[in-house]
Amino acid sequence: MAKKGQKADFPRGIPQCGTDALRFALCAYSGGGRDINLEINRVEGYRKFCNKIWNATAFAMLKLDESFVPPATVEVHKDLTLVERWIYHKLNQAATELNKCLAERNFMNATSAVYSFWLYELCDVYIEAAKPLTQSDATRKSAQDTLYNCLDYGLRMLHPFMPFVTEELWQRLPRRPNEPVESIMVSSFPVHDPRLVDQAAEDDFALVFSATKTIRSLASQYNLQKDVDVYISCSSDKEAEILGGEVETIKALAKLIKNLKVVRNVKEVPAGCGSSILTSDSSVYLDVLGNSDIDLDAEIIKAEEKLAMANLNVEKLKKAEARPGYEKSPLAVREANAEKLRLTEAEVSNLQLTKELFAKLKENDQK
């Protein structure tokens, strides 16, 4: 009966996943009672996570040339770029959460903390953002040090759950000057470091993330996959400074941008651009003329429909604010509605401009 059940559940057999993947899965499952309903596909997913760590570390080490000497310790200095400050902040958050969960014997949340750091923050963001940084003489050494520190501390955090792959990769990292330990097993475990706390970096980098996601979403709408010209119009000095300083990071994360320009005057945006609102003070524009499938009449109609809906939302919000006794509503509600109104009004202005740009382009085609 047992063999029959196994054949029914696994017609192709049970894939080889390795000790590290199984160990990580069992720790990730340990949040409930004594019984574990083990899902082999999840274990196989963690085997792929092992591969991701291996490939990411191997790729990152290519950025550490033969002349690279690791820093003796993690050093926080004023010349760190925004993305470096952000990844250090995230590394510290992960270490803090991991130690807290281990102290509570909460292995499920512990694995989640280190998994999220490796996959969504180090691999998906910093390693990609480090590519242009390591190509510039001005930022190369700092970017290499940050990359090394994240790999070193990331492997140490992961070691209790995946001892074999982390030991192998850690041994391949160059050693810090005067480092006495010969194995990751006896290296110091990462803990909370108040020097790495940087909430401002997290807040500022959220804008960079939002810009990247907006660009990719807008490009998908117009079926643009590479060599896209992008404009970001900012009326806010702070947002213009943040986005202007992170142009190369946005290009590295979006992976489809040919040229990216942050402008202060929306008149600098050429005709024939699709657009999307980023914040109440910033909008993203993509030059869509390279797409032969663009139907100008359809784009104008689409903009008009969205504009009508946005105007309707503005009217609803203004009517809500004009109701008798509205001033007695909770402050949080009034602030949320005020922010929603600012964003919707910015969307109206943005859609109006988009409509005008496509209309202007249509006029030029007809001449």
Side-chain angles (χ1 to χ4, degrees):
M1 289 297 291
K3 287 186 177 180
K4 269 192 174 182
Q6 286 180 352
K7 285 183 178 179
D9 291 338
F10 310 105
R12 298 180 182 177
I14 298 175
Q16 293 184 2
C17 297
T19 304
D20 282 330
L22 179 59
R23 183 185 176 104
F24 194 89
L26 292 174
C27 289
Y29 268 111
S30 61
R34 288 177 172 271
D35 295 332
I36 292 177
N37 185 16
L38 188 63
E39 175 60 57
I40 296 299
N41 288 338
R42 187 168 176 184
V43 181
E44 189 176 13
Y46 290 135
R47 180 186 65 78
K48 293 176 182 177
F49 177 51
C50 289
N51 290 344
K52 179 83 171 179
I53 295 167
W54 184 281
N55 293 335
T57 304
F59 175 81
M61 287 179 65
L62 295 176
K63 301 297 179 182
L64 308 178
D65 49 43
E66 294 181 359
S67 62
F68 173 73
V69 178
T73 59
V74 176
E75 298 176 2
V76 181
H77 52 83
K78 61 181 179 61
D79 294 328
L80 289 175
T81 61
L82 176 59
V83 69
E84 289 177 278
R85 290 166 51 207
W86 175 83
I87 194 62
Y88 274 140
H89 178 71
K90 288 298 183 180
L91 172 64
N92 190 55
Q93 280 187 334
T96 304
E97 178 66 14
L98 177 58
N99 280 275
K100 174 177 174 290
C101 292
L102 290 177
E104 297 171 351
R105 302 295 191 270
N106 188 342
F107 300 121
M108 182 175 68
N109 287 351
T111 55
S112 178
V114 69
Y115 180 90
S116 295
F117 171 75
W118 265 97
L119 196 61
Y120 303 123
E121 290 158 359
L122 182 56
C123 292
D124 286 357
V125 181
Y126 185 70
I127 288 179
E128 293 297 326
K131 292 176 183 178
L133 293 178
T134 54
Q135 292 172 1
S136 169
D137 292 339
T139 56
R140 181 181 296 115
K141 184 60 171 75
S142 178
Q144 288 177 329
D145 287 349
T146 303
L147 183 57
Y148 176 87
N149 288 329
C150 288
L151 291 175
D152 182 18
Y153 280 67
L155 290 172
R156 295 187 197 197
M157 290 193 298
L158 191 57
H159 181 69
F161 312 105
M162 291 184 166
F164 297 103
V165 69
T166 51
E167 180 73 69
E168 179 67 28
L169 290 172
W170 194 80
Q171 291 294 341
R172 299 185 182 207
L173 289 178
R175 297 272 72 81
R176 297 180 188 272
N178 303 319
E179 185 169 37
V181 296
E182 297 181 355
S183 170
I184 193 173
M185 288 189 293
V186 290
S187 63
S188 60
F189 196 72
V191 294
H192 174 75
D193 186 344
R195 298 175 307 141
L196 303 182
V197 176
D198 196 337
Q199 188 59 46
E202 182 169 8
D203 295 341
D204 291 348
F205 203 72
L207 179 64
V208 177
F209 261 135
S210 182
T212 303
K213 292 176 182 177
T214 302
I215 291 168
R216 293 185 66 84
S217 175
L218 198 55
S220 178
Q221 290 178 33
Y222 290 101
N223 196 29
L224 299 173
Q225 299 177 354
K226 62 178 181 178
D227 296 336
V228 182
D229 290 328
V230 180
Y231 301 84
I232 302 179
S233 172
C234 300
S235 59
S236 162
D237 291 340
K238 181 180 179 181
E239 290 184 5
E241 182 181 0
I242 293 170
L243 294 171
E246 295 300 313
V247 166
E248 293 303 320
T249 299
I250 296 172
K251 289 171 71 174
L253 296 179
K255 299 181 181 179
L256 48 74
I257 301 174
K258 181 180 180 182
N259 298 301
L260 172 59
K261 187 176 182 181
V262 177
V263 299
R264 301 304 306 277
N265 190 337
V266 75
K267 292 181 179 179
E268 295 181 52
V269 177
C273 284
S275 65
S276 181
I277 187 170
L278 181 57
T279 68
S280 58
D281 296 314
S282 301
S283 296
V284 172
Y285 298 87
L286 265 65
D287 189 344
V288 299
L289 291 182
N291 187 348
S292 58
D293 296 330
I294 290 294
D295 184 335
L296 295 178
D297 289 325
E299 292 301 325
I300 293 171
I301 293 172
K302 188 192 300 183
E304 288 175 343
E305 290 174 349
K306 290 182 178 179
L307 184 60
M309 183 61 68
N311 278 321
L312 186 62
N313 290 335
V314 168
E315 289 179 16
K316 287 180 180 179
L317 288 167
K318 286 184 175 179
K319 283 181 181 179
E321 290 184 344
R323 284 201 314 264
Y326 179 78
E327 65 279 359
K328 296 180 182 179
S329 300
L331 179 61
V333 172
R334 284 181 282 138
E335 289 179 344
N337 285 343
E339 178 60 22
K340 192 182 295 183
L341 180 60
R342 282 194 295 272
L343 284 170
T344 310
E345 287 177 336
E347 185 181 6
V348 168
S349 300
N350 181 60
L351 289 169
Q352 184 64 45
L353 177 62
T354 300
K355 176 186 170 183
E356 292 171 0
L357 290 174
F358 279 119
K360 182 179 178 182
L361 187 62
K362 181 181 176 182
E363 287 177 10
N364 292 339
D365 284 351
Q366 291 174 345
K367 289 180 181 179

